[in-house]
C-alpha cells in the first residue's frame, strides 16, 4: 500500500516522513502525528440537527 505526501507531492512504499529523513537527513517539517480516535472525538464540537420542534443537540 503506497503512502503519499500531499505537501511535497510524492508517493512511497514507506512513510513519507521516513523517506524525507533518509534523503535529507532532517526530520520532515510538514509531519503531524495523528491523534487517537478517542481524543479526536472529544475535541470535535457537537453538530446541531434540525428536529421537528427546532434545533436539537
Amino acid at each position: 500500500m503506497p503512502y503519499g505526501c500531499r505537501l511535497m507531492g510524492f508517493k512511497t512504499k514507506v512513510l513519507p516522513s521516513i523517506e524525507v529523513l533518509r534523503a535529507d537527513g532532517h526530520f520532515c517539517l510538514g509531519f503531524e502525528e495523528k491523534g487517537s480516535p478517542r481524543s479526536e472525538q472529544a475535541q470535535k464540537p457537537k453538530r446541531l440537527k434540525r428536529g421537528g420542534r427546532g434545533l436539537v443537540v
Side-chain angles (χ1 to χ4, degrees):
M1 181 165 135
Y3 297 95
C5 174
R6 291 182 187 155
L7 183 67
M8 296 178 65
F10 68 93
K11 290 185 180 180
T12 179
K13 292 182 180 180
V14 296
L15 291 175
S17 59
I18 301 297
E19 194 66 38
V20 169
L21 180 61
R22 283 185 196 168
D24 191 24
H26 299 286
F27 291 103
C28 178
L29 299 176
F31 176 74
E32 292 181 14
E33 188 172 351
K34 291 183 180 179
S36 65
R38 291 183 189 194
S39 66
E40 287 179 13
Q41 287 177 355
Q43 294 174 357
K44 287 185 181 178
K46 292 185 178 180
R47 299 174 94 188
L48 297 177
K49 298 180 181 179
R50 279 196 170 254
R53 298 183 183 166
L55 294 177
V56 179
V57 177

